[in-house]
Amino acid sequence: MVCESWKTQLDSYLDRELPDQEMRAFDAHVRNCATCSADALSGVQLKRAMQSAGKRFTPTAEFRQRMLRSIASKPQRTFRLGWMLAAAVAVVLVVGAITSTYLGNRSGSDQVFSEIADLHVATLASSSPVDVISTDRHTVKPWFQGKIPFAFNLPELQNSDFSLLGGRMAYLEQTPGAQLIYNVGKHHISVFIFQERALPAKLSDRSLDPRRLSFNMQTWSRGGLRYFVIGDAAVSDIDGLARLFKNAS
Ligand SMILES: [Zn+2]
């Protein structure tokens, strides 16, 4: 089995401990191999989950064993091809950023940005990325009514390169919010909207350095709502979609 040799190196890959040349070869393989990208993704998610859980409590040995068993038995092979490839690219990006993310204490705002990136990656990897599938903002917007404690406007996309794929509920810590998923070219972009006062950290409006975050992101606040636009699309596309949202709100 050709993937067996990759699998033995997966942990080292996720920890970025392989030599540069092997890291690049592994990146290339993960982009094209559904099995290995699924394994890498669950490895990334496990690391992230353990990292944030580790800040909240210390698990007992039995609890740890139980968690590891439940994770090991979870089927991970139900990817649809398009989303799977997007997820594979996202995995490569996240693995690239993992070292900087895991070293040292992160500030509250960095933690929020990292969780937003996780939500975006989890969406790309999900077998049902959207809860309401529609390209029509007049269908997507009312779907959120009664599900989240605020209303928002979605931009008109005519004469733009963006298309709306749909939306889903998003949770940051325990705060409910809206996630809209857009396409531009081959890239998926998520737009997250939360109530500013419900967020766990005070944030400032800015664009984020993709070398630190592994995605391009822009965030701003308007009318008591905090917006995040994130994706592996070009900075100009992230800015373009952000501008459409700012004009609509
Ligand atoms: Zn493989």
Side-chain angles (χ1 to χ4, degrees), residues 11 21 42 56 79 94 97 104-105 110 157 160 167 174 182 185 190 230 239 246:
D11 284 334
Q21 204 180 340
S42 52
R56 279 179 224 138
F79 283 63
V94 168
N105 287 328
D110 281 354
L157 296 176
S160 82
Q174 273 81 46
Y182 290 87
S190 289
I230 181 169
D239 289 350
K246 286 172 186 173

Side-chain angles (χ1 to χ4, degrees), residues 202-220:
K202 180 104 185 70
L203 303 175
S204 50
D205 297 0
R206 56 180 167 143
S207 298
L208 271 93
D209 185 345
R211 281 168 302 175
R212 279 183 51 219
L213 198 73
S214 74
F215 293 106
N216 290 312
M217 188 198 288
Q218 196 180 130
T219 179
W220 72 96

Side-chain angles (χ1 to χ4, degrees), residues 105-244:
N105 287 328
R106 289 179 297 163
S107 69
S109 60
D110 281 354
Q111 176 77 31
V112 170
F113 296 138
S114 163
E115 285 178 23
I116 290 287
D118 284 354
L119 289 174
H120 178 65
V121 171
T123 302
L124 297 182
S126 168
S127 56
S128 52
V130 283
D131 293 335
V132 49
I133 304 170
S134 175
T135 57
D136 182 3
R137 66 192 173 123
H138 300 296
T139 305
V140 172
K141 187 185 160 181
W143 181 87
F144 285 100
Q145 277 170 14
K147 297 187 177 73
I148 53 172
F150 58 88
F152 57 87
N153 287 325
L154 292 180
E156 180 72 64
L157 296 176
Q158 273 166 6
N159 308 318
S160 82
D161 295 330
F162 303 101
S163 55
L164 177 62
L165 297 178
R168 68 188 318 200
M169 295 285 296
Y171 293 90
L172 195 64
E173 310 273 312
Q174 273 81 46
T175 303
Q179 178 180 5
L180 295 316
I181 299 129
Y182 290 87
N183 243 6
V184 59
K186 287 177 182 164
H187 301 282
H188 297 298
I189 301 177
S190 289
V191 178
F192 294 93
I193 310 173
F194 294 95
Q195 279 177 307
E196 179 91 63
R197 60 184 165 81
L199 292 178
K202 180 104 185 70
L203 303 175
S204 50
D205 297 0
R206 56 180 167 143
S207 298
L208 271 93
D209 185 345
R211 281 168 302 175
R212 279 183 51 219
L213 198 73
S214 74
F215 293 106
N216 290 312
M217 188 198 288
Q218 196 180 130
T219 179
W220 72 96
S221 175
R222 188 157 298 186
L225 300 179
R226 168 63 59 180
Y227 295 77
F228 302 88
V229 178
I230 181 169
D232 64 339
V235 176
S236 57
D237 286 329
I238 299 290
D239 289 350
L241 187 56
R243 208 175 312 116
L244 289 172

